[in-house]
């Protein structure tokens, strides 16, 4: 018996929906199975299409979650045409220069020097630069210099000289040149000069506020602390009785101006010689004025008359030589404890009477006992200077 020939199942007329992101590498093959009477595809399995998100039912609102706000504002993209920076205004500046620093000068004028001064930038109006000494030991020529827009960069030489004072400050002492700048910063002055850059000119009015422009200097000193005497030797006398007769006069003054009062006394005298006054006070104001010492001498014994027999001559040595030096006490370090390099000789001698002292010849009371009569052997004469 022959089996009926099965008819193949017709292929669906509708093509499957293609995958959204994948295209098959080859078309599928359909094979008929006579046992089951069905047809099935053969070959590589067709990948399942990626499920699409279902659309919300119509009429319902659509919720789109909002993105979180950024924590920082993003930097703008650089422009292809950057904004040009504004031109900075010129700053004032002062130039001080010298071939050697510190500047070296002397009080006696044998050493002097110079420095140069100029402005760094064009000023708005006239600028005056003035010079002073920090401690007063320097002098300048000229004492000030003027600059304007025509010469601000041209260096000007300023001479520096030591001031000859009278104070001993050692071999040398320090000082400094201080430069001060003044200007009115007048825009009107600039415009009247028909200058094209008034808006770009430097302002110098406040340049010297808050700081100083300076150059250090060293000054060779020509003063020396010491004592000056009117004489290297004085004479003092005493009489036959032993008391001072004529004083030796010594004038003394300082060789330099002290920074404080100086007490001066004479040292080296013996016990029977003294000075009037015992000491002198010399001030910085009167240091050039000579001061007077009177040196008084007496007989070298406390006995009076110093010759016990009352005669003009006795074995006691009557002449002697002494020497005296000065000693200073002061707040000025150069005078405190300073002694003189030289000493002054004091020659002490006796001035004898012309004759021996008178001798009592007789003495008696009057009859009424109310008077005493004394008779000497000669007229009384006393020693004179």
């Amino acid at each position: 018996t022959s089996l009926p020939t099965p008819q193949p199942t017709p292929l669906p007329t509708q093509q499957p929906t293609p995958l959204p992101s994948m295209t098959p590498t080859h078309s599928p093959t359909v094979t008929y199975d006579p046992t089951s009477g069905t047809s099935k595809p053969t070959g590589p399995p067709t990948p399942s299409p990626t499920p699409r998100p279902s659309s919300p039912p119509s009429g319902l609102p659509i919720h789109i979650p909002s993105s979180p706000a950024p924590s920082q504002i993003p930097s703008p993209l650089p422009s292809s045409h950057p904004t040009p920076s504004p031109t900075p205004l010129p700053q004032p500046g002062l130039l001080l220069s010298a071939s050697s620093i510190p500047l070296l000068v002397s009080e006696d004028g044998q050493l002097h020097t110079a420095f140069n001064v100029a402005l760094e930038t064009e000023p708005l109006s006239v600028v005056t630069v003035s010079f002073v000494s920090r401690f007063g030991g320097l002098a300048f020529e000229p004492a000030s210099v003027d600059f304007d827009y025509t010469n601000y960069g041209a260096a000007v030489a300023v001479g520096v000289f030591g001031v000859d004072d009278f104070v001993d400050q050692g071999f040398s002492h320090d000082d400094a040149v201080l430069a001060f700048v003044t200007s009115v910063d007048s825009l009107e002055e600039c415009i009247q000069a028909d200058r094209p850059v008034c808006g770009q000119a430097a302002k110098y009015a406040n340049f010297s506020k808050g700081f100083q422009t300076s150059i250090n200097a060293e000054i060779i000193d020509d003063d020396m602390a010491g004592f000056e005497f009117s004489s290297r030797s004085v004479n003092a006398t005493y009489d036959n009785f032993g008391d001072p007769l004529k004083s030796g006069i010594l004038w003394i003054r300082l060789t330099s101006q002290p920074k404080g009062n100086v007490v001066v006394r004479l040292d080296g005298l013996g016990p029977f010689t003294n000075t009037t006054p015992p000491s002198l006070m010399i001030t910085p104001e009167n240091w050039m004025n000579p001061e007077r010492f009177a040196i008084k001498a007496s007989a070298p014994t406390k006995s009076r008359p110093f010759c016990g027999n009352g005669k003009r001559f006795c074995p006691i040595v009557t002449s002697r030589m002494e020497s005296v030096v000065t000693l200073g006490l002061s707040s000025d370090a150069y005078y405190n404890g300073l002694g003189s390099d030289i000493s002054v000789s004091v020659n002490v001698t006796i001035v004898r009477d012309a004759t021996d002292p008178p001798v009592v010849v007789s003495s008696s009371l009057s009859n009424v006992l109310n008077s005493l009569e004394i008779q000497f052997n000669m007229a009384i004469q006393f020693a004179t200077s």
Side-chain angles (χ1 to χ4, degrees), residues 34 58 60 83 158 160 187 190 201 213 234 249 277 290 304 364 371 373 383:
S58 62
L60 295 179
T83 303
V158 178
V160 184
L187 180 60
C190 182
T213 305
V234 296
I249 304 302
R304 296 291 182 271
S364 62
S371 64
E373 183 178 342

Side-chain angles (χ1 to χ4, degrees), residues 2-6:
S2 61
L3 295 176
T5 302

Side-chain angles (χ1 to χ4, degrees), residues 228-252:
E228 189 176 68
F229 304 105
S230 59
S231 174
R232 295 287 303 276
S233 177
V234 296
N235 298 314
T237 62
Y238 61 94
D239 59 22
N240 239 114
F241 191 72
D243 291 341
L245 187 62
K246 182 179 180 181
S247 298
I249 304 302
L250 180 65
W251 294 89
I252 185 173

